[in-house]
Amino acid sequence: QLIKDEGTNMVLHQGDFDYQDNPTAWDDQINNVLGADFPYFASIGNHDVLAWSGYQQKLIERLARIPNASCTGDLGVQSACYYNGLFFILTAPGTMGSGHDIYIRDQLAQDNSLWSVCSWHKLQRLMQVGGKTDETGWGVYDECRKGGGILATAHEHSYSRTHLMSNFETQSIASTSNTLILEKGKSFAFVSGIGGHSIRPQDNTLASNPWWASIYTATQNATYGALFCTFYVDNQPNKARCYLKDIQNRTIDQFELISNVEAQLNVLLNS
C-alpha cells in the first residue's frame, strides 16, 4: 500500500518474497494492490529456493505484460533487464548459481546506460549492521562498483546505506556528502530489508563503522518501509533523489545522486 501511495512506477525486490513457499499467494498480494501488469521485478532470496520455479514463472508471466520491459538470461538468478531507461541486473550470489561477479562485470561493460542497478539478496558481514555473515564474496560488490552500478541488497531485516565508496572490500570511503556522485569505480550499497516479516536490532560494533550514512533498525524503533528513488529530477537526466519512508509516513533517510557514468563514457569515446 505504501508503494501505491507514493505513486511508484516500478519495484525492484531483492528476494524473500514470503515464508510460505506460495508463489500464487505472493503474486495475488501484489496484484490486489498494484495490479497484474504493474512493473515488478525481483531477484531470488534464500527463502524462495524451494518454490523458485513457481516464483520465476510468475515473474516471467508478469514481464510479458509490461510494455517497454525486456530481460535476458535466467530471470531473477542471472539476468539483465531494461525498463524505461533503467538498466538493472538481477543476480543470486550466495543463493543460486555461480560466476555472478563475472556476469555483472560483463553486463555493465556492454551497457552504456546512465543509471544501472545491481540487485541481489545476500550480503557480506561488513555490508550490513545485523547478524549476517559473509555469503556473497566481495567480487559482486566491486564489479558493480567498477561499472558504476547502484548496489541494492536485502537479507538482513533492517535498513542501512553506505557513503559513496571507492572500494567495498577494503571499505574505502570516497565521499561522505549526501549528494553521491556515481562514477565507474565509485558507488554505494544499501540494505532494504524492512519489507514485512520482522525487523531486527543492530549489532552495535558493526553499526559504528564509519562507512554508514544511514541506519534504521529495531534499535531505532524502526517499522516497515521501503527505499524510493526518482530519476531525472529537476529536469536533469543524470540526477536522482531518494528517500526511505516507513508505513507511519516518516521519512528516515534522504539523499541525492548524480550519475557521471555516461560523462565518463563520452570522454572515453572522444579521446
Side-chain angles (χ1 to χ4, degrees):
Q1 188 61 48
L2 175 64
I3 289 168
K4 184 177 182 178
D5 291 346
E6 290 300 294
T8 308
N9 301 115
M10 67 170 287
V11 167
L12 282 179
H13 187 161
Q14 286 77 49
D16 281 4
F17 307 143
D18 60 31
Y19 289 72
Q20 307 299 323
D21 296 324
N22 192 331
T24 298
W26 172 71
D27 194 51
D28 286 346
Q29 183 182 42
I30 299 168
N31 294 344
N32 290 341
V33 178
L34 300 176
D37 59 352
F38 184 85
Y40 201 108
F41 308 90
S43 318
I44 185 174
N46 55 289
H47 285 284
D48 311 321
V49 172
L50 291 179
W52 175 241
S53 61
Y55 290 117
Q56 188 181 51
Q57 185 59 37
K58 293 295 185 183
L59 291 167
I60 290 170
E61 292 169 0
R62 182 175 294 273
L63 178 64
R65 299 192 295 266
I66 305 171
N68 304 321
S70 63
C71 295
T72 59
D74 187 2
L75 189 63
V77 177
Q78 203 167 82
S79 53
C81 304
Y82 291 93
Y83 179 66
N84 283 3
L86 185 69
F87 178 61
F88 48 101
I89 302 171
L90 308 170
T91 57
T95 301
M96 184 176 287
S98 61
H100 297 289
D101 53 346
I102 304 303
Y103 183 80
I104 289 169
R105 180 197 68 190
D106 292 348
Q107 293 300 315
L108 289 174
Q110 295 167 18
D111 179 73
N112 61 357
S113 297
L114 187 57
W115 297 103
S116 301
V117 179
C118 306
S119 172
W120 66 79
H121 181 69
K122 287 191 172 181
L123 304 160
Q124 288 291 85
R125 178 176 177 272
L126 294 177
M127 290 295 109
Q128 52 90 57
V129 295
K132 300 304 183 185
T133 58
D134 289 344
E135 295 186 81
T136 64
W138 289 111
V140 286
Y141 281 86
D142 280 317
E143 290 301 340
C144 185
R145 172 188 58 79
K146 290 174 185 176
I150 297 166
L151 288 82
T153 65
H155 198 35
E156 177 58 26
H157 295 194
S158 61
Y159 171 81
S160 54
R161 172 178 66 89
T162 72
H163 290 299
L164 187 72
M165 306 293 286
S166 58
N167 192 300
F168 287 104
E169 185 171 6
T170 62
Q171 297 85 57
S172 300
I173 302 167
S175 170
T176 58
S177 171
N178 228 27
T179 297
L180 288 73
I181 300 177
L182 307 181
E183 302 175 2
K184 289 184 181 296
K186 295 180 182 179
S187 189
F188 74 103
F190 67 85
V191 177
S192 185
I194 54 174
H197 182 267
S198 62
I199 298 176
R200 297 172 182 154
Q202 69 184 31
D203 177 315
N204 290 331
T205 300
L206 292 170
S208 66
N209 284 314
W211 52 87
W212 294 116
S214 180
I215 292 171
Y216 189 51
T217 76
T219 306
Q220 290 81 34
N221 298 313
T223 188
Y224 305 104
L227 181 67
F228 298 89
C229 289
T230 303
F231 299 91
Y232 203 146
V233 297
D234 299 336
N235 293 317
Q236 297 181 46
N238 71 328
K239 185 176 182 180
R241 189 169 289 123
C242 302
Y243 59 96
L244 179 74
K245 179 172 278 192
D246 67 22
I247 58 173
Q248 294 182 7
N249 205 37
R250 297 180 299 188
T251 300
I252 306 302
D253 184 25
Q254 298 182 76
F255 56 99
E256 292 188 341
L257 305 173
I258 301 293
S259 174
N260 280 348
V261 174
E262 187 181 67
Q264 289 176 294
L265 179 67
N266 288 337
V267 169
L268 179 63
L269 292 176
N270 292 325
S271 63

